[in-house]
Amino acid sequence: RAEEGQDVCLEVETGRVGAAGAVRWLRAGEPLPHDSRMSMAQDGHVYRLFIHGVVLADQGTYSCESHHDRTLARLSVRRECLVLC
């Protein structure tokens, strides 16, 4: 869960070290849109998807797929609270 405007990091750890690009990130089963707010990184077995300044349209089901595995996560985005809640 995130609040509008926050930065989000989705992270997966695989059992194998692969070449860069060995995993692919999807949203609702579709390739991620080209968006400058999204970036990806790999550190050994760990793959990360960063979404900077999330907006309501970013919510949904994200998946990370490799040749051997697939994992899913649901991102919920709340509107930013502009008054004392």
Side-chain angles (χ1 to χ4, degrees):
R1 291 188 174 145
E3 190 171 296
E4 260 185 317
Q6 287 184 327
D7 293 340
V8 171
C9 176
L10 301 178
E11 179 179 286
V12 297
E13 185 172 353
T14 63
R16 303 169 192 223
V17 176
V23 303
R24 66 182 191 147
W25 292 92
L26 306 164
R27 186 174 78 206
E30 299 292 325
L32 294 177
H34 294 287
D35 189 327
S36 62
R37 296 177 306 108
M38 295 187 186
S39 61
M40 292 165 250
Q42 177 190 356
D43 182 14
H45 293 273
V46 178
Y47 295 82
R48 293 179 182 91
L49 170 64
F50 298 99
I51 307 172
H52 305 282
V54 295
V55 296
L56 291 175
D58 292 325
Q59 61 186 3
T61 302
Y62 288 78
S63 60
C64 182
E65 298 179 348
S66 71
H67 298 292
H68 307 285
D69 296 304
R70 180 177 178 213
T71 189
L72 299 170
R74 171 109 177 110
L75 174 62
S76 297
V77 179
R78 295 178 304 200
R79 289 191 184 276
E80 183 177 10
C81 186
L82 299 176
V83 295
L84 294 177
C85 298

Coordinates of all heavy atoms in Angstrom, one line a residue:
R1 N 0.8 -1.2 0.0 CA 0.0 0.0 0.0 C 0.9 1.2 0.0 O 1.9 1.2 0.7 CB -0.9 0.0 1.2 CG -1.9 -1.0 1.2 CD -2.9 -0.9 2.4 NE -4.0 -1.8 2.2 CZ -4.6 -2.4 3.1 NH1 -4.2 -2.2 4.4 NH2 -5.5 -3.3 2.9
A2 N 0.4 2.2 -0.7 CA 1.2 3.5 -0.8 C 0.2 4.7 -0.9 O -0.9 4.5 -1.3 CB 2.1 3.5 -2.0
E3 N 0.7 5.8 -0.5 CA -0.1 7.0 -0.6 C 0.4 7.7 -1.9 O 1.6 7.7 -2.2 CB 0.1 7.9 0.6 CG -0.8 9.1 0.7 CD -0.7 9.8 2.0 OE1 -1.0 9.2 3.1 OE2 -0.3 11.0 2.0
E4 N -0.5 8.4 -2.5 CA -0.2 9.1 -3.7 C 1.1 10.0 -3.5 O 1.2 10.6 -2.5 CB -1.3 10.1 -4.1 CG -2.2 9.6 -5.2 CD -3.2 10.7 -5.6 OE1 -3.8 11.3 -4.7 OE2 -3.4 10.8 -6.8
G5 N 2.0 10.0 -4.5 CA 3.2 10.8 -4.4 C 4.4 10.0 -3.8 O 5.5 10.5 -3.9
Q6 N 4.1 8.9 -3.0 CA 5.2 8.2 -2.4 C 6.0 7.4 -3.5 O 5.5 7.1 -4.6 CB 4.7 7.2 -1.4 CG 4.2 7.8 -0.1 CD 3.8 6.7 0.9 OE1 3.3 5.7 0.5 NE2 4.0 7.0 2.1
D7 N 7.2 7.1 -3.2 CA 8.0 6.2 -4.0 C 7.8 4.7 -3.5 O 7.7 4.5 -2.3 CB 9.5 6.5 -3.9 CG 9.8 7.9 -4.5 OD1 9.0 8.4 -5.3 OD2 10.9 8.4 -4.2
V8 N 7.7 3.8 -4.5 CA 7.4 2.4 -4.2 C 8.6 1.6 -4.8 O 9.0 1.9 -5.9 CB 6.1 2.0 -4.8 CG1 5.9 0.5 -4.7 CG2 4.9 2.7 -4.1
C9 N 9.0 0.5 -4.1 CA 9.9 -0.4 -4.6 C 9.4 -1.8 -4.4 O 9.0 -2.2 -3.3 CB 11.3 -0.3 -3.8 SG 12.5 -1.6 -4.3
L10 N 9.2 -2.5 -5.6 CA 8.8 -3.9 -5.5 C 10.1 -4.7 -5.7 O 10.9 -4.4 -6.6 CB 7.8 -4.2 -6.7 CG 6.5 -3.4 -6.6 CD1 5.6 -3.8 -7.8 CD2 5.7 -3.6 -5.3
E11 N 10.3 -5.8 -4.9 CA 11.5 -6.5 -4.9 C 11.3 -8.0 -5.0 O 10.4 -8.5 -4.2 CB 12.3 -6.1 -3.7 CG 13.7 -6.8 -3.6 CD 14.4 -6.3 -2.3 OE1 14.9 -5.2 -2.3 OE2 14.4 -7.1 -1.4
V12 N 12.0 -8.7 -5.8 CA 12.0 -10.2 -5.8 C 13.4 -10.7 -5.7 O 14.3 -10.0 -6.2 CB 11.3 -10.7 -7.0 CG1 9.8 -10.3 -7.1 CG2 12.0 -10.3 -8.3
E13 N 13.5 -11.9 -5.2 CA 14.8 -12.5 -5.1 C 14.6 -13.9 -5.8 O 13.8 -14.7 -5.5 CB 15.3 -12.8 -3.7 CG 16.7 -13.4 -3.6 CD 17.2 -13.4 -2.2 OE1 16.6 -12.8 -1.3 OE2 18.3 -14.0 -2.0
T14 N 15.5 -14.1 -6.8 CA 15.4 -15.4 -7.5 C 16.5 -16.3 -7.0 O 17.4 -16.0 -6.3 CB 15.7 -15.1 -9.1 OG1 17.0 -14.6 -9.2 CG2 14.7 -14.2 -9.6
G15 N 16.3 -17.6 -7.4 CA 17.3 -18.6 -7.0 C 18.5 -18.7 -7.8 O 19.4 -19.4 -7.6
R16 N 18.5 -17.9 -8.9 CA 19.6 -18.0 -9.9 C 20.0 -16.6 -10.3 O 19.1 -15.7 -10.4 CB 19.2 -18.7 -11.2 CG 18.7 -20.1 -10.9 CD 18.1 -20.7 -12.1 NE 17.4 -21.9 -11.8 CZ 17.4 -23.0 -12.5 NH1 18.1 -23.0 -13.6 NH2 16.8 -24.1 -12.1
V17 N 21.2 -16.4 -10.5 CA 21.7 -15.1 -11.0 C 21.7 -15.2 -12.6 O 22.2 -16.1 -13.1 CB 23.2 -14.8 -10.6 CG1 23.6 -13.5 -11.2 CG2 23.2 -14.7 -9.1
G18 N 21.0 -14.2 -13.1 CA 20.8 -14.2 -14.6 C 21.4 -13.0 -15.2 O 21.8 -12.1 -14.4
A19 N 21.5 -12.9 -16.5 CA 21.9 -11.7 -17.1 C 20.9 -10.6 -16.9 O 19.7 -10.9 -16.6 CB 22.1 -12.0 -18.6
A20 N 21.3 -9.4 -17.0 CA 20.4 -8.3 -16.9 C 19.3 -8.5 -17.9 O 19.5 -8.8 -19.0 CB 21.1 -6.9 -17.1
G21 N 18.1 -8.2 -17.5 CA 16.9 -8.5 -18.3 C 16.4 -9.9 -18.3 O 15.5 -10.2 -19.1
A22 N 16.9 -10.7 -17.4 CA 16.5 -12.1 -17.3 C 15.1 -12.2 -16.7 O 14.5 -13.3 -16.8 CB 17.5 -12.9 -16.5
V23 N 14.6 -11.2 -16.1 CA 13.2 -11.1 -15.6 C 12.5 -10.0 -16.3 O 13.1 -9.1 -16.8 CB 13.1 -10.9 -14.0 CG1 13.9 -12.0 -13.3 CG2 13.6 -9.5 -13.6
R24 N 11.2 -10.1 -16.3 CA 10.4 -9.0 -16.9 C 9.3 -8.7 -15.9 O 8.7 -9.6 -15.3 CB 9.9 -9.3 -18.3 CG 8.9 -10.4 -18.4 CD 8.6 -10.6 -19.9 NE 7.4 -11.5 -19.9 CZ 6.5 -11.4 -20.8 NH1 6.6 -10.5 -21.8 NH2 5.4 -12.2 -20.8
W25 N 9.0 -7.4 -15.8 CA 8.0 -6.9 -15.0 C 6.7 -6.6 -15.8 O 6.8 -6.0 -16.9 CB 8.4 -5.6 -14.3 CG 9.5 -5.8 -13.3 CD1 10.9 -5.8 -13.5 CD2 9.3 -6.2 -11.9 NE1 11.5 -6.0 -12.3 CE2 10.6 -6.3 -11.3 CE3 8.2 -6.4 -11.1 CZ2 10.8 -6.6 -10.0 CZ3 8.4 -6.7 -9.7 CH2 9.7 -6.8 -9.2
L26 N 5.6 -6.9 -15.3 CA 4.3 -6.7 -16.0 C 3.3 -6.1 -15.0 O 3.4 -6.2 -13.8 CB 3.7 -8.0 -16.5 CG 4.6 -8.9 -17.3 CD1 4.1 -10.3 -17.4 CD2 4.8 -8.3 -18.7
R27 N 2.3 -5.4 -15.6 CA 1.2 -4.9 -14.8 C -0.1 -5.4 -15.4 O -0.3 -5.2 -16.6 CB 1.2 -3.4 -14.7 CG 0.0 -2.9 -13.7 CD 0.1 -1.4 -13.4 NE -0.5 -0.8 -14.6 CZ -0.3 0.5 -14.9 NH1 0.6 1.2 -14.3 NH2 -0.8 1.0 -16.0
A28 N -0.9 -6.1 -14.7 CA -2.1 -6.7 -15.2 C -1.8 -7.6 -16.4 O -2.6 -7.6 -17.4 CB -3.2 -5.6 -15.5
G29 N -0.7 -8.2 -16.4 CA -0.3 -9.2 -17.4 C 0.2 -8.5 -18.7 O 0.6 -9.2 -19.7
E30 N 0.4 -7.2 -18.7 CA 0.9 -6.5 -19.9 C 2.2 -5.8 -19.5 O 2.5 -5.5 -18.4 CB -0.1 -5.3 -20.2 CG -1.5 -5.8 -20.6 CD -1.5 -6.6 -21.9 OE1 -0.7 -6.3 -22.8 OE2 -2.3 -7.6 -22.0
P31 N 3.1 -5.7 -20.6 CA 4.4 -5.0 -20.3 C 4.1 -3.6 -19.7 O 3.1 -3.0 -20.0 CB 5.0 -4.9 -21.7 CG 4.3 -6.0 -22.5 CD 2.9 -6.1 -22.0
L32 N 5.1 -3.2 -18.9 CA 4.9 -1.9 -18.2 C 5.0 -0.8 -19.3 O 5.7 -0.9 -20.3 CB 6.1 -1.7 -17.2 CG 6.1 -2.6 -16.0 CD1 7.3 -2.3 -15.2 CD2 4.8 -2.4 -15.2
P33 N 4.2 0.3 -19.1 CA 4.2 1.4 -20.0 C 5.5 2.1 -19.9 O 6.2 2.0 -18.9 CB 3.1 2.3 -19.6 CG 2.9 1.9 -18.1 CD 3.3 0.5 -18.0
H34 N 5.9 2.7 -21.0 CA 7.2 3.6 -21.0 C 6.8 4.8 -20.1 O 6.0 5.6 -20.5 CB 7.6 3.9 -22.4 CG 8.0 2.8 -23.2 ND1 9.2 2.1 -23.0 CD2 7.4 2.1 -24.2 CE1 9.3 1.1 -23.8 NE2 8.2 1.0 -24.5
D35 N 7.4 4.9 -19.0 CA 7.1 5.9 -18.0 C 8.4 6.3 -17.3 O 9.0 5.4 -16.7 CB 6.0 5.4 -17.1 CG 5.5 6.5 -16.2 OD1 6.3 7.5 -15.8 OD2 4.3 6.4 -15.8
S36 N 8.8 7.5 -17.4 CA 10.0 8.0 -16.8 C 10.0 7.8 -15.2 O 11.1 7.8 -14.6 CB 10.3 9.4 -17.1 OG 9.3 10.3 -16.6
R37 N 8.8 7.6 -14.7 CA 8.8 7.4 -13.2 C 9.1 6.0 -12.8 O 9.3 5.7 -11.6 CB 7.4 7.7 -12.7 CG 6.9 9.1 -12.8 CD 5.5 9.4 -12.4 NE 4.5 8.5 -13.0 CZ 3.9 7.4 -12.4 NH1 4.1 7.2 -11.1 NH2 3.1 6.7 -13.1
M38 N 9.2 5.1 -13.8 CA 9.6 3.7 -13.5 C 11.0 3.3 -13.9 O 11.4 3.7 -15.0 CB 8.6 2.7 -14.2 CG 7.2 2.9 -13.7 SD 6.1 1.6 -14.5 CE 4.5 2.1 -13.9
S39 N 11.7 2.6 -13.0 CA 13.0 2.1 -13.3 C 13.2 0.8 -12.7 O 12.5 0.4 -11.8 CB 14.1 3.1 -12.8 OG 14.0 3.3 -11.4
M40 N 14.2 0.0 -13.2 CA 14.5 -1.3 -12.7 C 16.0 -1.4 -12.4 O 16.8 -0.7 -13.0 CB 14.1 -2.3 -13.8 CG 12.6 -2.4 -14.0 SD 12.2 -3.3 -15.5 CE 11.6 -1.9 -16.5
A41 N 16.3 -2.3 -11.5 CA 17.7 -2.6 -11.1 C 17.8 -4.0 -10.7 O 16.9 -4.7 -10.3 CB 18.1 -1.7 -9.9
Q42 N 19.1 -4.5 -10.9 CA 19.4 -5.9 -10.5 C 20.7 -5.8 -9.6 O 21.6 -5.1 -9.9 CB 19.7 -6.7 -11.7 CG 20.1 -8.1 -11.3 CD 20.6 -9.0 -12.5 OE1 20.6 -8.5 -13.7 NE2 21.1 -10.1 -12.3
D43 N 20.6 -6.6 -8.6 CA 21.8 -6.7 -7.7 C 21.9 -8.2 -7.3 O 21.3 -8.7 -6.4 CB 21.6 -5.9 -6.4 CG 22.8 -5.9 -5.5 OD1 23.9 -6.4 -5.9 OD2 22.7 -5.5 -4.3
G44 N 22.7 -9.0 -8.1 CA 22.8 -10.4 -7.9 C 21.5 -11.1 -8.2 O 20.9 -11.0 -9.3
H45 N 21.0 -11.7 -7.1 CA 19.7 -12.5 -7.2 C 18.5 -11.6 -7.0 O 17.4 -12.0 -7.1 CB 19.6 -13.5 -6.1 CG 20.6 -14.6 -6.3 ND1 20.4 -15.7 -7.0 CD2 21.9 -14.8 -5.8 CE1 21.4 -16.6 -7.0 NE2 22.3 -16.0 -6.2
V46 N 18.7 -10.3 -6.7 CA 17.6 -9.4 -6.3 C 17.3 -8.5 -7.5 O 18.2 -7.8 -8.1 CB 18.0 -8.6 -5.1 CG1 16.9 -7.6 -4.7 CG2 18.3 -9.5 -3.9
Y47 N 16.0 -8.4 -7.9 CA 15.5 -7.5 -8.9 C 14.5 -6.6 -8.3 O 13.7 -7.0 -7.5 CB 14.8 -8.4 -10.0 CG 15.8 -9.3 -10.8 CD1 16.1 -10.5 -10.2 CD2 16.3 -8.9 -12.0 CE1 16.9 -11.4 -10.9 CE2 17.2 -9.7 -12.7 CZ 17.5 -11.0 -12.1 OH 18.3 -11.8 -12.8
R48 N 14.6 -5.3 -8.7 CA 13.7 -4.3 -8.1 C 13.1 -3.5 -9.2 O 13.7 -3.1 -10.2 CB 14.6 -3.3 -7.2 CG 15.1 -4.0 -6.0 CD 15.9 -3.0 -5.2 NE 16.5 -3.7 -4.0 CZ 17.7 -4.2 -4.0 NH1 18.5 -4.2 -5.0 NH2 18.1 -4.8 -2.9
L49 N 11.8 -3.1 -8.9 CA 11.1 -2.2 -9.8 C 10.8 -1.0 -8.9 O 10.2 -1.1 -7.8 CB 9.8 -2.8 -10.3 CG 8.8 -1.9 -11.0 CD1 9.4 -1.3 -12.2 CD2 7.4 -2.6 -11.2
F50 N 11.2 0.2 -9.3 CA 10.9 1.4 -8.6 C 9.9 2.2 -9.3 O 10.0 2.4 -10.6 CB 12.2 2.3 -8.5 CG 13.3 1.6 -7.8 CD1 14.4 1.0 -8.5 CD2 13.4 1.6 -6.4 CE1 15.4 0.4 -7.8 CE2 14.5 1.0 -5.7 CZ 15.5 0.4 -6.5
I51 N 8.9 2.7 -8.6 CA 7.9 3.6 -9.2 C 8.0 4.9 -8.3 O 7.7 4.9 -7.1 CB 6.5 3.0 -9.1 CG1 6.4 1.6 -9.7 CG2 5.5 3.9 -9.8 CD1 5.1 0.9 -9.5
H52 N 8.4 5.9 -8.9 CA 8.6 7.2 -8.2 C 7.3 8.1 -8.3 O 6.8 8.3 -9.4 CB 9.8 7.9 -8.9 CG 11.0 7.1 -8.9 ND1 11.8 6.9 -7.7 CD2 11.6 6.4 -9.8 CE1 12.8 6.1 -8.0 NE2 12.7 5.8 -9.3
G53 N 6.9 8.5 -7.2 CA 5.7 9.4 -7.2 C 4.4 8.7 -7.7 O 3.9 9.1 -8.7
V54 N 4.0 7.6 -7.0 CA 2.9 6.8 -7.5 C 1.6 7.7 -7.6 O 1.4 8.6 -6.8 CB 2.6 5.6 -6.6 CG1 3.7 4.6 -6.7 CG2 2.2 5.9 -5.2
V55 N 0.8 7.3 -8.6 CA -0.5 7.9 -8.8 C -1.5 6.8 -8.7 O -1.2 5.7 -8.8 CB -0.5 8.7 -10.1 CG1 0.4 9.9 -10.1 CG2 -0.3 7.8 -11.3
L56 N -2.8 7.2 -8.6 CA -3.9 6.3 -8.5 C -3.9 5.3 -9.7 O -4.1 4.1 -9.5 CB -5.2 6.9 -8.5 CG -5.5 7.7 -7.2 CD1 -6.9 8.5 -7.3 CD2 -5.5 6.8 -6.0
A57 N -3.5 5.7 -10.9 CA -3.5 4.9 -12.1 C -2.4 3.8 -12.0 O -2.5 2.8 -12.7 CB -3.2 5.7 -13.3
D58 N -1.5 3.9 -11.0 CA -0.4 2.8 -10.9 C -0.9 1.6 -10.1 O -0.3 0.6 -10.1 CB 0.8 3.4 -10.1 CG 1.5 4.5 -10.9 OD1 1.6 4.3 -12.2 OD2 2.1 5.4 -10.3
Q59 N -2.1 1.7 -9.4 CA -2.5 0.6 -8.7 C -2.9 -0.6 -9.6 O -3.3 -0.4 -10.7 CB -3.6 1.0 -7.7 CG -4.9 1.5 -8.2 CD -5.8 1.9 -7.0 OE1 -5.4 1.9 -5.9 NE2 -6.9 2.3 -7.4
G60 N -2.8 -1.7 -9.0 CA -3.1 -2.9 -9.8 C -2.2 -4.1 -9.4 O -1.4 -4.0 -8.4
T61 N -2.2 -5.1 -10.2 CA -1.4 -6.3 -9.9 C -0.2 -6.3 -10.8 O -0.3 -6.2 -12.0 CB -2.3 -7.6 -10.2 OG1 -3.4 -7.6 -9.4 CG2 -1.4 -8.9 -9.9
Y62 N 1.0 -6.4 -10.1 CA 2.3 -6.4 -10.8 C 2.8 -7.8 -10.7 O 2.6 -8.5 -9.7 CB 3.2 -5.5 -10.1 CG 2.9 -4.0 -10.4 CD1 1.9 -3.4 -9.7 CD2 3.6 -3.3 -11.4 CE1 1.6 -2.1 -10.0 CE2 3.3 -2.0 -11.7 CZ 2.3 -1.4 -11.0 OH 1.9 -0.1 -11.2
S63 N 3.5 -8.3 -11.8 CA 4.1 -9.6 -11.7 C 5.5 -9.4 -12.2 O 5.9 -8.5 -13.0 CB 3.4 -10.6 -12.5 OG 3.3 -10.2 -13.9
C64 N 6.4 -10.4 -11.7 CA 7.7 -10.5 -12.2 C 7.9 -11.9 -12.7 O 7.6 -12.8 -11.9 CB 8.7 -10.2 -11.0 SG 10.4 -10.2 -11.5
E65 N 8.4 -12.0 -13.9 CA 8.5 -13.4 -14.5 C 9.9 -13.6 -14.9 O 10.6 -12.7 -15.4 CB 7.6 -13.5 -15.7 CG 6.1 -13.4 -15.4 CD 5.2 -13.5 -16.6 OE1 5.8 -13.4 -17.8 OE2 4.0 -13.6 -16.5
S66 N 10.4 -14.8 -14.7 CA 11.6 -15.3 -15.2 C 11.4 -16.6 -16.0 O 10.3 -17.0 -16.1 CB 12.6 -15.5 -14.1 OG 12.3 -16.7 -13.4
H67 N 12.5 -17.2 -16.4 CA 12.3 -18.5 -17.1 C 11.8 -19.6 -16.2 O 11.2 -20.5 -16.7 CB 13.7 -18.9 -17.7 CG 14.2 -18.0 -18.7 ND1 13.6 -17.8 -20.0 CD2 15.3 -17.2 -18.7 CE1 14.3 -16.9 -20.6 NE2 15.3 -16.5 -19.9
H68 N 12.0 -19.4 -14.9 CA 11.6 -20.5 -14.0 C 10.5 -20.1 -13.0 O 9.9 -21.0 -12.4 CB 12.9 -20.8 -13.1 CG 14.1 -21.1 -14.0 ND1 14.2 -22.3 -14.7 CD2 15.2 -20.4 -14.3 CE1 15.3 -22.3 -15.4 NE2 16.0 -21.1 -15.2
D69 N 10.2 -18.9 -12.8 CA 9.3 -18.5 -11.7 C 8.4 -17.3 -12.2 O 8.7 -16.6 -13.1 CB 10.1 -18.0 -10.5 CG 10.9 -19.1 -9.8 OD1 10.3 -20.2 -9.5 OD2 12.1 -19.0 -9.7
R70 N 7.4 -17.1 -11.4 CA 6.5 -15.9 -11.5 C 6.0 -15.6 -10.2 O 5.5 -16.5 -9.4 CB 5.4 -16.3 -12.5 CG 4.4 -15.1 -12.7 CD 3.3 -15.5 -13.7 NE 2.4 -14.4 -13.9 CZ 1.1 -14.6 -14.1 NH1 0.6 -15.8 -14.2 NH2 0.3 -13.6 -14.2
T71 N 5.9 -14.3 -9.9 CA 5.4 -13.9 -8.6 C 4.5 -12.7 -8.8 O 4.7 -11.9 -9.8 CB 6.5 -13.5 -7.6 OG1 5.9 -13.3 -6.3 CG2 7.3 -12.4 -8.0
L72 N 3.5 -12.5 -8.0 CA 2.5 -11.4 -8.1 C 2.5 -10.6 -6.8 O 2.7 -11.1 -5.7 CB 1.1 -12.0 -8.3 CG 0.9 -12.9 -9.6 CD1 -0.5 -13.5 -9.5 CD2 1.0 -12.0 -10.8
A73 N 2.2 -9.3 -7.0 CA 2.0 -8.4 -5.9 C 0.9 -7.4 -6.3 O 0.7 -7.0 -7.5 CB 3.2 -7.6 -5.6
R74 N 0.1 -7.0 -5.3 CA -1.0 -6.1 -5.6 C -0.6 -4.7 -4.9 O -0.3 -4.7 -3.7 CB -2.3 -6.6 -5.0 CG -3.4 -5.6 -5.0 CD -4.5 -5.9 -6.0 NE -5.6 -4.9 -5.9 CZ -5.8 -4.0 -6.8 NH1 -5.1 -4.0 -7.9 NH2 -6.8 -3.2 -6.7
L75 N -0.6 -3.7 -5.7 CA -0.3 -2.3 -5.3 C -1.6 -1.6 -5.1 O -2.4 -1.4 -6.1 CB 0.6 -1.6 -6.2 CG 0.9 -0.2 -5.9 CD1 1.6 0.0 -4.5 CD2 1.8 0.5 -7.0
S76 N -1.9 -1.1 -3.9 CA -3.0 -0.2 -3.7 C -2.5 1.2 -3.4 O -1.6 1.4 -2.6 CB -3.8 -0.7 -2.5 OG -4.4 -2.0 -2.7
V77 N -3.1 2.2 -4.0 CA -2.7 3.6 -3.8 C -3.8 4.4 -3.2 O -5.0 4.3 -3.7 CB -2.3 4.2 -5.2 CG1 -1.8 5.7 -5.0 CG2 -1.1 3.4 -5.8
R78 N -3.6 5.1 -2.1 CA -4.5 5.9 -1.5 C -4.3 7.4 -1.9 O -3.2 7.8 -2.1 CB -4.4 5.8 0.0 CG -4.7 4.5 0.6 CD -4.5 4.5 2.1 NE -3.2 5.0 2.3 CZ -2.5 4.8 3.5 NH1 -3.1 4.2 4.4 NH2 -1.3 5.2 3.6
R79 N -5.4 8.1 -2.0 CA -5.3 9.5 -2.3 C -4.5 10.2 -1.1 O -4.7 9.8 0.0 CB -6.7 10.2 -2.4 CG -7.4 9.8 -3.6 CD -8.6 10.7 -3.8 NE -9.4 10.3 -4.9 CZ -9.2 10.7 -6.2 NH1 -8.2 11.5 -6.4 NH2 -9.9 10.2 -7.1
E80 N -3.8 11.2 -1.5 CA -3.0 12.0 -0.5 C -4.0 12.7 0.4 O -4.9 13.4 -0.1 CB -2.0 13.0 -1.2 CG -1.2 13.7 -0.2 CD -0.2 14.6 -1.0 OE1 -0.3 14.8 -2.2 OE2 0.7 15.1 -0.3
C81 N -3.8 12.7 1.7 CA -4.6 13.4 2.6 C -4.1 14.8 2.8 O -3.0 15.0 3.3 CB -4.6 12.7 4.0 SG -5.8 13.3 5.2
L82 N -4.9 15.8 2.3 CA -4.5 17.2 2.3 C -4.9 17.9 3.6 O -4.4 19.0 3.8 CB -5.0 17.9 1.1 CG -4.6 17.3 -0.3 CD1 -5.3 18.1 -1.4 CD2 -3.1 17.4 -0.4
V83 N -5.8 17.3 4.4 CA -6.1 17.9 5.7 C -5.8 16.9 6.8 O -5.6 15.8 6.5 CB -7.7 18.3 5.7 CG1 -7.9 19.4 4.7 CG2 -8.5 17.1 5.4
L84 N -5.9 17.4 8.0 CA -5.7 16.4 9.1 C -6.7 15.3 9.1 O -7.9 15.6 9.0 CB -5.7 17.2 10.4 CG -4.6 18.2 10.7 CD1 -4.8 18.9 12.0 CD2 -3.3 17.6 10.6
C85 N -6.2 14.1 9.1 CA -7.1 13.0 9.0 C -7.4 12.4 10.4 O -6.7 12.5 11.2 CB -6.5 11.8 8.2 SG -6.2 12.3 6.5

